[in-house]
Amino acid sequence: MPTPNTQETKQSLRKALQETRRNTSLSDFDIEQLTKRGIFELSKTTGDVCIYMSLKEEPPTIDLIKEVRKLGRNVWLPRIEGNNLLWVKNPDNFAKGPHGIDEPVGQAVLAKDITNLGAIILPALAVDVNGTRLGKGKGFYDRVLAQVNENVKRIVLNFQINGENNHMEYFGTLLRVLFGL
């Protein structure tokens, strides 16, 4: 029996999940629940927070970013430079980046250079029960995770649709632990 090609399997899964995301609209209630879950998970941490800038098909982070800043915590937002993500502290100015994402303008550092980093909220298409994250395949966040201390809490905001009743389930997904509402 032939062994499945892991890379082909991942690409196929990515394609299916991205299509589902493109066809899914989150209500204001859904966004509020994801934001609350993010704040809840962050309440278990101290220090600065890195948060991804969401694309249209990703769980939105703009409200979460605003709420975390209201709590007086430093928020670091990413921008792409070459094959790396660089992070800008509490940015107010943005410009379109190479992938059409609003990216912060200003002095930026690698994640490993953020001295008071307590948590990182990162995007994922899926996370399995072992905490293995499936991203879009370019490796940006894999490289970031390799840079940060193991004590930095890793959080993925995710959602899935239960096909039987179209019920939305929300997850504040911590690597190695899953929480459902």
Side-chain angles (χ1 to χ4, degrees):
M1 179 185 222
T3 305
N5 181 318
T6 303
Q7 203 58 17
E8 287 178 17
T9 303
K10 282 182 168 181
Q11 287 302 86
S12 177
L13 183 56
R14 281 184 181 107
K15 186 176 179 180
L17 290 168
Q18 286 174 322
E19 183 64 26
T20 299
R21 288 258 180 102
R22 277 191 288 277
N23 295 321
T24 302
S25 294
L26 295 178
S27 69
D28 289 343
F29 175 79
D30 298 327
I31 294 167
E32 180 182 344
Q33 294 305 304
L34 283 166
T35 300
K36 284 180 180 180
R37 174 52 81 175
I39 293 295
F40 174 74
E41 296 302 333
L42 288 173
S43 73
K44 302 174 190 178
T45 69
T46 60
D48 294 358
V49 182
C50 288
I51 304 177
Y52 71 95
M53 298 287 294
S54 55
L55 295 171
K56 182 179 155 190
E57 68 273 7
E58 293 175 324
T61 56
I62 193 70
D63 290 347
L64 179 61
I65 291 165
K66 290 176 186 175
E67 291 300 316
V68 173
R69 286 183 80 173
K70 282 183 193 174
L71 294 173
R73 292 180 73 175
N74 290 318
V75 173
W76 294 79
L77 301 179
R79 76 165 175 249
I80 296 171
E81 287 196 17
N83 286 327
N84 291 307
L85 288 179
L86 297 183
W87 299 85
V88 178
K89 183 178 178 180
N90 298 324
D92 291 317
N93 298 312
F94 298 86
K96 289 284 182 210
H99 297 280
I101 304 169
D102 284 338
E103 294 185 340
V105 175
Q107 183 178 354
V109 299
L110 291 169
K112 68 181 181 179
D113 297 323
I114 302 172
T115 57
N116 194 32
L117 185 60
I120 181 169
I121 297 181
L122 54 151
L125 291 169
V127 178
D128 71 14
V129 294
N130 296 315
T132 305
R133 180 186 154 272
L134 180 68
K136 291 186 176 180
K138 301 223 187 283
F140 286 108
Y141 284 91
D142 295 332
R143 287 186 288 279
V144 168
L145 291 175
Q147 292 176 26
V148 299
N149 182 301
E150 64 185 33
N151 295 326
V152 172
K153 185 163 234 164
R154 292 139 166 90
I155 302 169
V156 171
L157 295 181
N158 212 344
F159 63 89
Q160 71 181 29
I161 298 182
N162 180 332
E164 294 176 15
N165 60 10
N166 211 22
H167 174 71
M168 192 77 71
E169 297 175 7
Y170 311 95
F171 297 89
T173 309
L174 307 178
L175 297 185
R176 300 202 189 351
V177 183
L178 299 175
F179 296 94
L181 295 177

